[in-house]
Amino acid sequence: MTRALILGGTSDAGQLAAEIARAGIDAVYSYGGRTRAPADQPLPTRIGGFGGVSGLADYIRCETITHVIDATHPFAAEMSRNAVAACAETGTPLIALERAPWAKAPGDNWIEVMDVNAAAAALPESPAKVFLAIGRQHIAPFAAKPQHAYTLRFVDPPEASLPFAADVIVSRGPFTLQSELETMCARGIAWVVARNSGGEGAHAKIDAARTLGLPVIMISRPQLPQRKRVESVAEVMQWLGHRTCLGA
Ligand code: NAP
């Protein structure tokens, strides 16, 4: 009997949960607990960390999980590494549902860097208006360049004080080219810092930067251990042994 665990927190995971529920497959959807009001899912849901590799391995055993689908964000590297290790420990099949990274298009002016520290280092020394579109847990390295005027955008209002003064936008999106152009123009943004998340939802800021001729410091995805990886819900359904009418 199949019993799947979806490591979620992304729109792709939500689409997968909907398809799994439609197919009548027994499954649990897991949220990390970072967002205050996570979207409802059509599956039984649990929230919060498992307690590292051993906690996840225990969960897999206790809940008789037969398949794990890592549909976390491409930058949720700790969870993804833990999933590889816990699945190896328990002998549980694992698949990652992960959208392709964005590729540079003509007109893009990207400075590609390995991580958030390198992104902060890549900013100029002279004061500039910078849009940091990277999530609140990653902003600390930018405190080293306090000469810049930062605009931050979060899903929830920040609970703790920020490591530097900033103009904070609280919004869940969706963002369009038009709304991103308005955000950037209204604040006179000269630099954009983004992570290469992939997908369509977050791409509007990259389109806006291209339209405005702005440089983008693009943070590459973290390196992860070898694992089976697909880009579509249909491929996951196939892996679970179910046919679907979704295009792969
Ligand atoms: P992370 O750094 O890779 O994970 C840190 C710890 O949080 C993990 O070791 C695990 O705790 C717990 N965790 C993360 N995802 C979990 C999940 N789906 N279910 C149960 N526990 C989870 O992850 P993160 O970057 O903080 O992301 C947290 C969540 O937000 C993920 O679900 C991710 O898909 C979602 N998200 C992240 C981003 C992003 O930019 N990183 C963007 C959009 C959505 P234990 O070790 O205790 O098990």
Side-chain angles (χ1 to χ4, degrees), residues 7-10 30-32 34 46 48-52 71-73 75-80 82 137-138 195:
L7 302 171
T10 59
S30 177
Y31 274 115
R34 291 262 196 268
R46 65 167 300 288
F50 297 95
T72 56
H73 190 271
F75 281 80
E78 194 179 343
M79 185 70 259
S80 293
N82 289 355
Q137 65 268 44
H138 308 288
R195 297 179 304 166

Side-chain angles (χ1 to χ4, degrees), residues 58-231:
D58 287 347
Y59 182 88
I60 289 171
R61 289 190 198 98
C62 292
E63 290 289 326
T64 58
I65 299 296
T66 60
H67 294 72
V68 176
I69 303 133
D70 178 359
T72 56
H73 190 271
F75 281 80
E78 194 179 343
M79 185 70 259
S80 293
R81 289 190 185 108
N82 289 355
V84 170
C87 287
E89 186 181 320
T90 56
T92 312
L94 167 72
I95 196 168
L97 170 59
E98 188 187 68
R99 44 193 139 134
W102 297 316
K104 223 198 269 191
D108 278 330
N109 175 9
W110 287 8
I111 299 161
E112 292 177 82
V113 297
M114 288 305 291
D115 57 29
V116 75
N117 292 308
L123 279 175
E125 294 307 321
S126 51
K129 293 186 174 167
V130 180
F131 183 21
L132 282 188
I134 59 171
R136 67 179 178 277
Q137 65 268 44
H138 308 288
I139 61 173
F142 294 89
K145 293 229 167 131
Q147 65 270 44
H148 299 310
Y150 294 103
T151 294
L152 310 176
R153 186 165 61 200
F154 303 140
V155 173
D156 295 312
E159 276 167 2
S161 60
L162 299 171
F164 45 82
D167 170 20
V168 176
I169 302 170
V170 177
S171 175
R172 201 175 266 268
F175 307 107
T176 62
L177 172 59
Q178 192 53 39
S179 70
E180 295 292 43
L181 285 172
E182 283 164 15
T183 298
M184 292 185 198
C185 290
R187 290 167 173 81
I189 297 296
W191 287 79
V192 176
V193 180
R195 297 179 304 166
N196 197 333
S197 302
E200 286 173 17
H203 198 261
K205 59 181 175 281
I206 309 302
D207 293 331
R210 183 190 314 120
T211 304
L212 297 171
L214 302 182
V216 176
I217 299 177
M218 183 65 80
I219 303 171
S220 302
R221 292 182 178 186
Q223 294 288 318
L224 291 173
Q226 190 72 27
R227 64 212 172 128
K228 183 175 174 62
R229 177 185 162 274
V230 294
E231 292 180 9

